Amino acid sequence: RGGPPRCGCAPLPTATANMSSARPFPTRQNLQIMKLKLVGAKKGHSLLKKKADALTMRLRALLTTILKAKEAMGKAFKDGNFAMAEVKYAAGDIKSAIIESVGTAQKRVETRVDNIAGVKVPVFKAVDMADAPVDYTGLARGGQQVTKARQTFSACVDTLIQLATLQTSFLILDEAIKVTSRRVNALDTVVIPRIAGFVDYIVSELDELEREEFFRLKRSQDKKKKDLQLAEAERLKEIAADDAGSLIGGGDDPDVIY
């Protein structure tokens, strides 16, 4: 029964032609198993399709946010460079003085994990530490410009951290969408057609077995009827032969005396 299905039913899909040797044996139990697998595959396809749509919507929303963040980053760096120019104009080169006055980082980055439709993406958050006193001795009237530049570049760092979160989420979601789309396509074009082909194959084989069984029973009944008719004909012939022998005089009759 490894050949093509009989009674004109549709063959298995071309994508699974090389798996014809793995066809299940046509039984009622295997038919129920394949039907359950088909229902599960269709349900999985529906869920993955919804997941892909949700991720795509979130990705499109991220694109808009990323564009706004990049525009804000450009403006923040522009303001920062302008503030640095003011510092250099007012106080000259203050690089060495600033480096000596800084002991610990004033900003830390915290990381948490966000779940988007089953996809985990990192979220970065800038945390301001306690402000340490800054000694502006020797900077004359440039201290005010240094404070302004410090605040401007602090805003730049916040914008960069936000953009890093958005860019990382964008890359992870883009890869997740590709993987999910491949799974949806595999279910739609390979798995579901293959299981549906197995179901059709088992149904056709079971129907053929039922027809063969019905034909066999019918032939058996016809043969029994024919044997009964032949036996009845033989019995009637024997009875007729016995009656004919008795009429002809097959036995000795007694003499008649007048």
Side-chain angles (χ1 to χ4, degrees):
R1 294 192 175 275
R6 290 171 287 186
C7 68
C9 61
L12 289 177
T14 307
T16 58
N18 57 346
M19 300 185 66
S20 59
S21 60
R23 286 176 177 173
F25 192 76
T27 60
R28 297 288 179 185
Q29 182 179 3
N30 286 337
L31 179 60
Q32 289 300 115
I33 292 174
M34 286 298 162
K35 285 183 177 180
L36 291 176
K37 286 185 177 180
L38 183 60
V39 172
K42 290 181 177 179
K43 185 175 181 180
H45 176 269
S46 176
L47 292 176
L48 287 176
K49 184 69 174 172
K50 292 179 180 178
K51 178 181 178 180
D53 294 340
L55 292 177
T56 303
M57 292 178 61
R58 185 62 179 268
L59 188 68
R60 291 176 180 173
L62 277 178
L63 283 175
T64 304
T65 310
I66 287 174
L67 291 176
K68 293 180 180 179
K70 286 186 175 181
E71 292 176 357
M73 182 186 67
K75 184 178 182 301
F77 273 96
K78 180 180 177 181
D79 295 340
N81 291 329
F82 187 74
M84 182 59 67
E86 289 182 347
V87 170
K88 288 184 178 180
Y89 177 78
D93 188 8
I94 61 170
K95 181 177 179 181
S96 58
I98 295 298
I99 292 176
E100 291 177 0
S101 64
V102 175
T104 58
Q106 300 300 308
K107 280 185 178 292
R108 299 289 177 88
V109 178
E110 291 184 353
T111 306
R112 64 180 178 86
V113 178
D114 193 8
N115 194 326
I116 303 175
V119 180
K120 295 181 179 180
V121 295
V123 178
F124 307 119
K125 180 181 179 182
V127 179
D128 293 323
M129 309 302 292
D131 293 336
V134 181
D135 185 12
Y136 294 131
T137 303
L139 296 181
R141 57 190 181 89
Q144 184 178 359
Q145 282 75 14
V146 171
T147 304
K148 181 180 178 181
R150 179 174 175 273
Q151 294 174 352
T152 304
F153 277 101
S154 177
C156 291
V157 172
D158 293 339
T159 305
L160 279 176
I161 293 174
Q162 180 188 6
L163 186 59
T165 299
L166 296 173
Q167 292 280 63
T168 305
S169 301
F170 179 84
L171 293 177
I172 294 176
L173 289 180
D174 185 55
E175 185 63 26
I177 289 173
K178 290 179 182 178
V179 173
T180 306
S181 298
R182 284 196 294 266
R183 291 178 180 176
V184 170
N185 293 333
L187 285 172
D188 192 22
T189 60
V190 178
V191 178
I192 292 178
R194 182 183 67 181
I195 298 177
F198 285 160
V199 171
D200 294 339
Y201 165 73
I202 294 175
V203 170
S204 65
E205 289 295 309
L206 291 177
D207 290 343
E208 183 66 20
L209 289 174
E210 290 180 359
R211 283 191 292 270
E212 290 178 357
E213 183 68 16
F214 176 77
F215 182 74
R216 186 185 65 80
L217 291 175
K218 187 176 180 181
R219 289 290 300 272
S220 177
Q221 291 176 356
D222 292 342
K223 187 174 183 304
K224 287 180 180 179
K225 289 181 181 180
K226 188 175 181 181
D227 293 341
L228 289 174
Q229 291 175 356
L230 290 175
E232 183 66 19
E234 290 292 333
R235 190 177 67 81
L236 292 177
K237 285 176 64 177
E238 290 177 359
I239 294 174
D242 292 341
D243 292 343
S246 62
L247 291 175
I248 294 174
D252 294 334
D253 295 334
D255 295 336
V256 177
I257 300 173
Y258 296 97

